Amino acid sequence: MTFCLSENSPGPITSGAVAAGMPIAALPTPMLLIDKDKMAANIARMRAQLAGTGVIFRPHVKTAKAPDAIRALFDGATGPITVSTLKEARLFAEAGFDDIVYAVGIVPARIPDVLALADRGVAMRIILDEPGVAAEVAALVPAGQANIGILAEVDCDGHRSGVDPDGDALLRIGETLAARGLFAGVLTHAGGSYQCAGANAIAGHAELERAGLARAGERLRAAGLPCPVLSMGSTPTALFARSYAGMTEVRAGVYMFQDLVMAGIGVCAPGDIALSVLCSVIGYRPAAGQIVLDAGWMALSRDRGTAAQAVDQGYGLVADENGAIIDGMIVMGANQEHGLAGYRDGAPVDPARFPIGSRLRVLPNHACATGAQHDRYLLVDGGHVDAVWPRFSGW
């Protein structure tokens, strides 16, 4: 797999400019890194999982929010993709991606934004789960606009939003949209899989997701309604599903980087996590037996997604400058620009092992949240920067 340096020229970061070829030891901190080999292995794993299934893979770009990173998933091609904001849709469309599912419930006020993308030739699929909203949205889409399709969001696990696959609302939505030629099918997100633990539990949840969505499709077709798209997705269920029968596409996002929440439920090992924040030791707390880092919650995020898991990873798991995990060391506390790292069992940290200015990496609890704190990724290969990938945030 090859990666190319973006033609976009990023500006200076903190104390200096960063460019391909720089050694990690020369980088200013804190800095967001992607381990090239680990990301490539994560991508290959998903490809192997889906090979021969016949389903379309539609990766979610909300984790990366960087066209360069997403091109790596397609070996330079452009899609299809899933987005979580219309800003993502606009910027990825500008980067050449023209087959997009906006997988957050639409409100009528956002239809002009969707129409603007469709008028540019982007195939836009939007979602909703209210019959009344279906009627409002359908009235706002001009007749003959072939680049907009609408999916009914289905709730297969009680996690968040969506209609009951066995309820009347599903058929009412389908009927309303089909009458205007806008109904494209059904979509679900198995967010409840994030509370599973282990391969068997995740596989069971994946089947709950698949079967619920398949049942929704069967009911729609039995009612004489078209249902060309059946879209399931989450990183855990995409990687552990034992069947995709009846599905037309699969979505997943965080799998390309992985994170400690995924490791905590058995989706990956901590050593598979490709994303980390490079930071420097800037002081000591002798009474607490801790070291002080220049990466606080502004660099790591406040996400504490592992707090409810069997192993609480604090604000992140600490590794050395080369990415080797330091057994038992986590970021135990975080202020805005200060991280407080120590051993989980309370053993004091030896300052001689971590001189002021020495470099460490912190593996994130939640890759999406940590990524959102930074404006670019540094793709690193061995001890050097291989490429600089601009990243965006916002809506």
Side-chain angles (χ1 to χ4, degrees), residues 80 144 337:
E337 301 294 350

Side-chain angles (χ1 to χ4, degrees), residues 124 129 186 235 248 267 319 345 348 392:
M124 289 294 299
D129 64 359
V186 288
T235 284
T248 63
V267 169
D345 62 5
F392 63 86

Side-chain angles (χ1 to χ4, degrees), residues 84-150:
S84 62
T85 71
L86 286 173
K87 181 175 182 178
E88 289 170 28
R90 288 192 299 273
L91 294 183
F92 273 86
E94 290 172 6
F97 293 79
D98 60 3
D99 183 352
I100 299 174
V101 166
Y102 172 41
V104 173
I106 195 70
V107 295
R110 303 310 300 271
I111 291 300
D113 298 320
V114 176
L115 286 171
L117 286 162
D119 289 341
R120 290 175 49 183
V122 179
M124 289 294 299
R125 299 294 177 264
I126 56 179
I127 71 170
L128 50 80
D129 64 359
E130 290 288 340
V133 174
E136 289 184 66
V137 168
L140 293 172
V141 178
Q145 175 50 271
N147 284 334
I148 293 180
I150 304 175

Side-chain angles (χ1 to χ4, degrees), residues 17-392:
V18 176
M22 288 182 64
I24 292 175
L27 294 174
T29 58
M31 193 69 64
L32 188 63
L33 308 183
I34 300 172
D35 184 296
K36 181 177 179 179
D37 289 341
K38 291 181 180 181
M39 184 178 74
N42 292 334
I43 293 170
R45 178 186 174 194
M46 183 66 78
R47 286 178 177 170
Q49 170 71 10
L50 298 177
T53 63
V55 297
I56 294 168
F57 183 50
R58 183 182 291 274
H60 208 314
V61 305
K62 69 175 183 176
T63 300
K65 290 185 187 283
D68 291 310
I70 299 304
R71 286 193 189 97
L73 305 184
F74 297 106
D75 287 332
T78 53
I81 61 170
T82 310
V83 302
S84 62
T85 71
L86 286 173
K87 181 175 182 178
E88 289 170 28
R90 288 192 299 273
L91 294 183
F92 273 86
E94 290 172 6
F97 293 79
D98 60 3
D99 183 352
I100 299 174
V101 166
Y102 172 41
V104 173
I106 195 70
V107 295
R110 303 310 300 271
I111 291 300
D113 298 320
V114 176
L115 286 171
L117 286 162
D119 289 341
R120 290 175 49 183
V122 179
M124 289 294 299
R125 299 294 177 264
I126 56 179
I127 71 170
L128 50 80
D129 64 359
E130 290 288 340
V133 174
E136 289 184 66
V137 168
L140 293 172
V141 178
Q145 175 50 271
N147 284 334
I148 293 180
I150 304 175
L151 303 166
E153 184 175 11
V154 174
D155 180 6
C156 292
D157 63 3
H159 169 66
R160 188 168 60 197
S161 54
V163 297
D164 184 343
D166 300 304
D168 292 337
L170 173 67
L171 299 182
R172 289 166 57 200
I173 290 171
E175 290 166 355
T176 298
L177 297 176
R180 292 291 305 275
L182 293 170
F183 190 53
V186 288
L187 171 150
T188 193
H189 170 60
S193 63
Y194 282 53
Q195 279 70 58
C196 293
N200 288 335
I202 298 170
H205 204 90
E207 180 55 23
L208 177 72
E209 176 186 24
R210 187 208 65 79
L213 200 63
R215 195 163 64 252
E218 289 164 1
R219 292 186 65 230
L220 288 161
R221 293 182 183 118
L225 297 168
C227 190
V229 175
L230 290 95
S231 178
M232 65 178 277
S234 74
T235 284
T237 58
L239 284 172
F240 286 84
R242 292 170 180 154
S243 171
Y244 306 94
M247 303 298 99
T248 63
E249 66 180 35
V250 172
R251 309 179 323 278
V254 74
Y255 80 95
M256 64 184 297
F257 297 150
Q258 299 290 16
D259 57 28
L260 291 169
V261 168
M262 292 293 99
I265 65 173
V267 169
C268 66
D272 298 324
I273 298 172
L275 198 68
S276 63
V277 176
L278 181 71
C279 56
S280 298
V281 177
I282 60 171
Y284 307 111
R285 299 185 73 217
Q290 298 173 340
I291 55 176
V292 183
L293 311 175
D294 64 352
W297 56 257
M298 283 292 285
L300 306 175
S301 88
R302 281 196 179 277
D303 193 285
R304 293 280 285 102
T306 61
Q309 294 184 339
V311 178
D312 183 352
Q313 304 284 16
Y315 288 89
L317 189 60
V318 180
D320 67 18
E321 184 178 37
N322 297 316
I325 294 169
I326 300 172
D327 189 37
M329 181 175 278
I330 61 173
V331 179
M332 308 179 85
N335 302 125
Q336 183 166 336
E337 301 294 350
H338 297 75
L340 309 176
Y343 290 111
R344 195 190 310 276
D345 62 5
V349 176
D350 179 4
R353 185 181 173 189
F354 302 98
I356 300 296
S358 58
R359 307 301 189 91
L360 297 171
R361 297 194 204 182
V362 180
L363 308 184
N365 281 316
H366 185 184
C368 304
T370 297
Q373 307 302 110
H374 300 263
D375 68 353
R376 70 203 69 193
Y377 303 101
L378 303 188
L379 185 72
V380 296
D381 187 8
H384 291 77
V385 176
D386 188 70
V388 181
W389 286 345
R391 185 193 189 284
F392 63 86

